[in-house]
Amino acid sequence: MSALCTGPALAQDTRVSISGFVTDAATGERLIGATLFLPERRAGTVSNVYGFYSLTLPAGVTQLRVSYVGYRTRLLRLDLTEDGRIDIELTATPTTLGEVEVVADRADGVVDSPQMGAIDLPISEVEKLPVLLGEIDVIKTLQLLPGVQSGHEGSTALYVRGGGPDQNLILLDGAPVYNVSHVFGFLSVFNSDALNSVRLIKGGFPARYGGRLSSVVDLRMKEGNLREYTVDGSVGLVMSSMTVQGPLARDRMSFIVSARRTYIDILARPFLNSRLQSGEKLVSYFYDVNAKLNYAPTSHDRFYLSFYLGDDVYGSTLETAAGGGVGAPRNINRGGADWGNMTSTLRWNHILSNKLFANTTLVLSRYNFDVLTRLTQIDPGPPRTEQFEEITYSSGIDDISARVEFDYNPSLSHQVKFGAGIVRHDFNPGVGQLKLRLTEGAFSDTTITPNTFAFSGLEYFAFAEDDVRISGRLRANVGLHASGMRVNATSYASLQPRLGVRLLVTPTWSLKASFSTMQQHLHLLTNTGINLPTDLWLSATDRIPPQKAWQAGLGTSVSLGGGAYAFEIDTYYKRMSNLIEYKPGASFITPNEDWQDKVEIGRGWSYGAEFFLRKSGGRTSGWIGYTLAWSWRQFDALNEGRKFPYRYDRRHDVSFVLTHRLSRRLDVGLVWVYGTGQAITLATGRFFDARLLDPRYFTGSGTVLPELREYGARGGYRMRAYHRFDVALNWRLDKAFFSSAGESTVSVGVYNAYNRLNPFYLFTARGTSGERVYKQASLFPLLPFVAYRFTF
């Protein structure tokens, strides 16, 4: 639509408000973060996370340029005479060798925005990159960005600017996800086939986000195709997936369902059976399901219902006969663990006016972890008897929340967001039970960790922010986030000011500064550096205060090559307080002990500089990132009270990511990463103390003395540097193998192409002369992969 209406001549100071949605012309999918730019005024806006935009402009003729990465840019000529609605459709750019389109507004938008440390990650770019086992993973792609680390190799944990995994607010359609790991951290729970957009914010946090100290990862699911039915799927080495979407009522109601499951347990069974004991069975798999329903009863209202469910299941059963033969007594040993997430989001979008947009959200989120060990002894008799001994351990967190938020755009100079919400947390910080039945009849039930350790908390928040254009060169995002938490009889409250400022030096070069304060009412008590499901989510209490931080940043952004390139430098300094760590020797499964008695409270700080050169559009895209950083921790009762490097303190991190279209059918993805070795603590000596003799150390052949170890400074040793090179070739076909319709892609590649033996951990062993030495254990050698993706 090129003009709203015609009418009589208007006064020059008359203002006209227009609003609408930016959508994909083929599917009707809302486009998040599309740029709407007024060339004559060097100003504009972006569509919000629901694809909605609003502009208030002087009446008359003007031009509006609308662009989105991977789509054709549209230039609209508008004759504005009265308020109205303009929905804008964009067409995806065809993938052809002869047609190359560079989307300049994305780089210009980085320069113009006062936001620091924010990166949007196109799903189409993620799908072309080589990854572990050939499985597309947005979390592993985020780890390639400057300021973000993975921790151990293959892990999906995120360590952002010196923070821990619990300090990342990871949202799936607005619902918090507490454990993002499948397969003990080697794959994430997010299925890229179900995702529409991914955004990472590392600093200068807008006031609408709260509750975490280090980062926000905002993932939005696809809404479902409103125009036609489509089926997408993939077959890989370890799992397969299927996605079905389509209209239930054209342009008004749609659905999408996406599911994945591993079958490595089935493929590995023939190889494992030869290694298993007779009567032993293993179970090992994960699955997840994403679903979403999208319904627009009117042009001003839209409802969404989204759902995620995922579980990891690992276990073994061993059955043995005591005496052999039919009717002999049997022993059945069963053990295993399962953990998973469930989220559900009900959302209502409502356009109150051309200037005011409302969103109301109800969210359920659940994370649980269960471990079972059971020994059953059966004597078929007569008389038949059965007795068992069972130990269980479970932990988790349940949330139910509601929030309402508004977007208000009174003019080109102000984009206001405000809202409020409330969250009820139910914590189960680990309950262990021992059940025994030694004879027929009732069994005894002994709780190792009392249920009184479980508790609830009520968190509440409100926010307001204004993205204001102070002048043609100066723009700022000013906001305030207020939050509080009540647990039992204890309450915490805070006011958290947020500020981001942009000074436009030239149309393609800006200087930026930011300052944010944050308060986090949740803690993650972790036993190791690996993101395991045994990690416990806990709340601030009357004894354990909430985590706090402030972060300041300075940076610059430059648009180069006519907007094809964006170059950013971000420097930051962050202080954190009320961090928790286990006391020496403490464990998550220590019986009859409150977790608050197991921890120390300390502080941390980190600082550094990040360099990011990115190219979008055209045959070649990708980025080069470099991070120079320091991260420290200090606890009075650890390391003799001296500061020590955080577990994932890395001085240097480098990432090179490139995708290049070789032809209409063939493209290549390359990844090279380098990181300074991980800081670890090592024993420097061992000795025997005869004063620790105890009768239990006496054996029939003599006396065994307990071995003690003397440790050096905490984090005082660094493992070897980490680096690897990955490559993938993606070959597109005009049809699927089993259908003449649609298209498909065959991907082949290599993870760790030059077979670098990177350190995973160090262990002690005997040297050639019998002395004790440390040796390195490595995890992933050169790993080839192949995957097949299709759509029709």
Side-chain angles (χ1 to χ4, degrees):
M1 185 175 182
S2 60
L4 291 176
C5 65
T6 60
L10 299 172
Q12 291 185 354
D13 60 351
T14 301
R15 296 275 171 173
V16 174
S17 294
I18 62 172
S19 65
F21 293 91
V22 183
T23 60
D24 183 308
T27 67
E29 185 91 20
R30 304 286 173 83
L31 299 180
I32 300 170
T35 301
L36 298 98
F37 188 70
L38 301 159
E40 299 171 356
R41 299 179 177 276
R42 293 293 305 174
T45 188
V46 296
S47 59
N48 67 12
V49 292
Y50 316 108
F52 178 80
Y53 78 93
S54 175
L55 290 168
T56 298
L57 308 168
V61 177
T62 190
Q63 286 188 329
L64 179 64
R65 190 167 73 221
V66 187
S67 62
Y68 189 74
V69 111
Y71 287 74
R72 292 181 182 273
T73 297
R74 287 192 64 183
L75 187 63
L76 304 178
R77 182 181 181 275
L78 305 178
D79 186 2
L80 305 175
T81 59
E82 63 182 18
D83 294 351
R85 171 87 170 264
I86 302 179
D87 292 331
I88 302 168
E89 293 186 340
L90 298 183
T91 304
T93 304
T95 308
T96 60
L97 182 61
E99 183 174 354
V100 177
E101 182 171 326
V102 175
V103 181
D105 294 287
R106 298 300 289 184
D108 291 344
V110 169
V111 172
D112 187 57
S113 172
Q115 175 71 59
M116 291 185 66
I119 300 174
D120 295 298
L121 199 62
I123 297 298
S124 59
E125 200 166 341
V126 174
E127 293 175 344
K128 299 176 184 177
L129 297 176
V131 288
L132 178 65
L133 302 175
E135 301 300 334
I136 297 169
D137 199 317
V138 295
I139 296 296
K140 290 189 179 299
T141 305
L142 289 176
Q143 293 170 351
L144 301 174
L145 298 172
V148 184
Q149 297 176 10
S150 63
H152 290 287
E153 180 176 27
S155 169
T156 53
L158 294 178
Y159 296 84
V160 181
R161 291 186 172 180
D166 62 313
Q167 296 174 355
N168 305 308
L169 178 62
I170 300 178
L171 300 171
L172 180 62
D173 267 6
V177 180
Y178 287 100
N179 188 295
V180 300
S181 300
H182 279 315
V183 200
F184 292 100
F186 295 132
L187 293 171
S188 83
V189 301
F190 301 115
N191 182 354
S192 65
D193 291 340
L195 296 179
N196 180 16
S197 68
V198 181
R199 186 167 220 229
L200 169 70
I201 302 175
K202 301 176 291 181
F205 301 103
R208 59 189 177 274
Y209 295 111
R212 298 294 190 275
L213 303 188
S214 290
S215 78
V216 177
V217 181
D218 197 345
L219 303 106
R220 300 284 168 166
M221 288 174 55
K222 293 177 180 177
E223 299 174 354
N225 195 317
L226 284 162
R227 307 284 167 78
E228 61 181 359
Y229 292 95
T230 63
V231 177
D232 301 271
S234 67
V235 180
L237 294 177
V238 296
M239 71 179 178
S240 291
S241 66
M242 181 74 74
T243 302
V244 181
Q245 58 180 315
L248 297 174
R250 184 177 173 84
D251 289 329
R252 292 188 61 191
M253 189 174 187
S254 66
F255 76 95
I256 180 171
V257 177
S258 186
R260 302 186 299 177
R261 191 198 189 277
T262 55
Y263 38 71
I264 191 168
D265 55 329
I266 300 173
L267 295 178
R269 190 169 296 161
F271 305 98
L272 292 175
N273 285 341
S274 61
R275 299 176 177 269
L276 298 178
Q277 301 181 49
S278 175
E280 185 177 7
K281 299 179 181 179
L282 293 180
V283 176
S284 175
Y285 66 90
F286 80 77
Y287 71 89
D288 51 42
V289 179
N290 294 80
K292 192 169 186 176
L293 187 67
N294 161 28
Y295 175 52
T298 72
S299 61
H300 286 71
D301 297 277
R302 187 173 292 267
F303 293 89
Y304 300 96
L305 178 61
S306 56
F307 175 79
Y308 168 83
L309 176 66
D311 273 301
D312 282 71
V313 178
Y314 292 87
S316 66
T317 302
L318 175 61
E319 183 172 345
T320 58
V326 178
R330 290 176 295 143
N331 294 330
I332 303 176
N333 286 278
R334 181 185 171 206
D338 64 86
W339 65 90
N341 301 278
M342 185 280 290
T343 70
S344 182
T345 303
L346 176 62
R347 189 188 308 280
W348 173 35
N349 292 170
H350 180 61
I351 301 175
L352 294 165
S353 72
N354 286 319
K355 297 181 180 181
L356 187 60
F357 177 90
N359 175 69
T360 304
T361 307
L362 298 176
V363 169
L364 295 174
S365 178
R366 171 177 294 175
Y367 167 68
N368 64 276
F369 166 65
D370 297 288
V371 175
L372 167 70
T373 301
R374 178 171 177 143
L375 171 61
T376 303
Q377 297 177 318
I378 301 174
D379 188 344
R384 186 183 187 278
T385 61
E386 178 178 323
Q387 56 188 17
F388 70 85
E389 176 181 322
E390 178 181 284
I391 300 176
T392 61
Y393 177 86
S394 63
S395 68
I397 177 173
D398 292 0
D399 286 355
I400 180 170
S401 65
R403 67 184 289 155
V404 59
E405 51 197 342
F406 300 89
D407 286 20
Y408 176 55
N409 299 282
S411 69
L412 278 177
S413 299
H414 294 274
Q415 298 176 35
V416 180
K417 298 179 186 293
F418 59 95
I422 189 169
V423 185
R424 175 186 166 91
H425 302 285
D426 289 310
F427 300 91
N428 178 5
V431 173
Q433 290 184 317
L434 172 63
K435 295 181 180 180
L436 297 171
R437 186 170 68 186
L438 302 179
T439 60
E440 289 295 324
F443 60 82
S444 64
D445 186 346
T446 304
T447 300
I448 299 175
T449 305
N451 282 314
T452 53
F453 292 166
F455 59 97
S456 299
L458 193 65
E459 186 174 2
Y460 44 89
F461 62 90
F463 68 89
E465 64 178 88
D466 186 8
D467 192 323
V468 54
R469 293 182 181 271
I470 302 170
S471 68
R473 292 183 179 274
L474 190 61
R475 181 179 171 188
N477 185 289
V478 184
L480 181 67
H481 186 96
S483 71
M485 182 84 166
R486 182 168 181 81
V487 181
N488 298 325
T490 304
S491 295
Y492 294 99
S494 71
L495 292 176
Q496 304 160 39
R498 314 283 176 84
L499 175 65
V501 180
R502 180 273 286 156
L503 176 64
L504 203 60
V505 181
T506 72
T508 59
W509 175 30
S510 65
L511 302 176
K512 299 184 180 183
S514 67
F515 179 82
S516 302
T517 60
M518 293 78 71
Q519 180 159 302
Q520 178 173 329
H521 300 100
L522 304 182
H523 294 274
L524 182 68
L525 193 54
T526 179
N527 231 42
T528 68
I530 305 175
N531 191 25
L532 293 177
T534 54
D535 298 344
L536 304 179
W537 282 97
L538 306 162
S539 168
T541 67
D542 56 344
R543 295 171 54 190
I544 308 296
Q547 302 180 65
K548 295 183 178 181
W550 62 263
Q551 183 176 173
L554 290 172
T556 185
S557 299
V558 183
S559 176
L560 304 168
Y565 297 86
F567 178 62
E568 298 178 79
I569 301 175
D570 284 357
T571 62
Y572 66 91
Y573 183 88
K574 179 165 65 175
R575 300 281 299 194
M576 297 168 283
S577 60
N578 300 333
L579 308 179
I580 64 172
E581 289 274 357
Y582 272 120
K583 292 179 179 179
S587 168
F588 74 96
I589 204 167
T590 308
N592 297 316
E593 186 176 352
D594 191 338
W595 67 270
Q596 297 175 96
D597 298 322
K598 305 177 187 179
V599 301
E600 299 288 348
I601 300 175
R603 61 192 180 99
W605 59 99
S606 60
Y607 46 90
E610 300 164 1
F611 303 82
F612 190 46
L613 175 63
R614 186 175 189 178
K615 183 180 184 296
S616 300
R619 291 177 58 180
T620 303
S621 61
W623 65 83
I624 299 174
Y626 169 66
T627 305
L628 174 67
W630 290 260
S631 183
W632 303 93
R633 294 288 189 271
Q634 190 168 27
F635 294 79
D636 291 341
L638 301 178
N639 203 46
E640 299 179 347
R642 301 190 305 267
K643 73 174 185 178
F644 56 89
Y646 180 49
R647 183 181 295 116
Y648 296 109
D649 169 77
R650 281 186 179 175
R651 201 65 63 243
H652 306 282
D653 257 312
V654 183
S655 61
F656 174 78
V657 179
L658 179 142
T659 62
H660 179 69
R661 191 167 65 246
L662 299 170
S663 68
R664 184 177 70 88
R665 295 182 180 275
L666 190 64
D667 62 66
V668 61
L670 306 173
V671 171
W672 184 78
V673 294
Y674 172 89
T676 301
Q678 179 182 332
I680 60 174
T681 305
L682 293 181
T684 57
R686 64 191 184 99
F687 57 93
F688 301 95
D689 190 345
R691 292 173 300 176
L692 296 179
L693 284 176
D694 187 273
R696 66 172 176 262
Y697 293 105
F698 288 90
T699 67
S701 58
T703 302
V704 178
L705 297 179
E707 178 181 299
L708 303 179
R709 293 189 177 188
E710 181 179 3
Y711 287 88
R714 197 176 181 102
Y717 181 83
R718 287 194 181 272
M719 293 194 288
R720 297 170 58 200
Y722 178 95
H723 56 86
R724 73 169 200 276
F725 175 68
D726 311 328
V727 59
L729 284 172
N730 305 295
W731 181 37
R732 282 183 295 277
L733 307 173
D734 290 334
K735 61 181 181 179
F737 284 157
F738 47 82
S739 172
S740 59
E743 60 183 34
S744 60
T745 301
V746 178
S747 298
V748 295
V750 177
Y751 179 90
N752 193 10
Y754 51 72
N755 199 33
R756 163 75 173 180
L757 297 180
N758 286 300
F760 188 61
Y761 64 88
L762 300 183
F763 63 94
T764 58
R766 294 288 183 182
T768 55
S769 303
E771 75 282 8
R772 285 183 177 266
V773 297
Y774 281 104
K775 292 189 176 182
Q776 171 187 300
S778 299
L779 192 61
F780 296 117
L782 180 150
L783 290 175
F785 63 83
V786 60
Y788 175 68
R789 298 174 59 84
F790 61 87
T791 180
F792 62 88

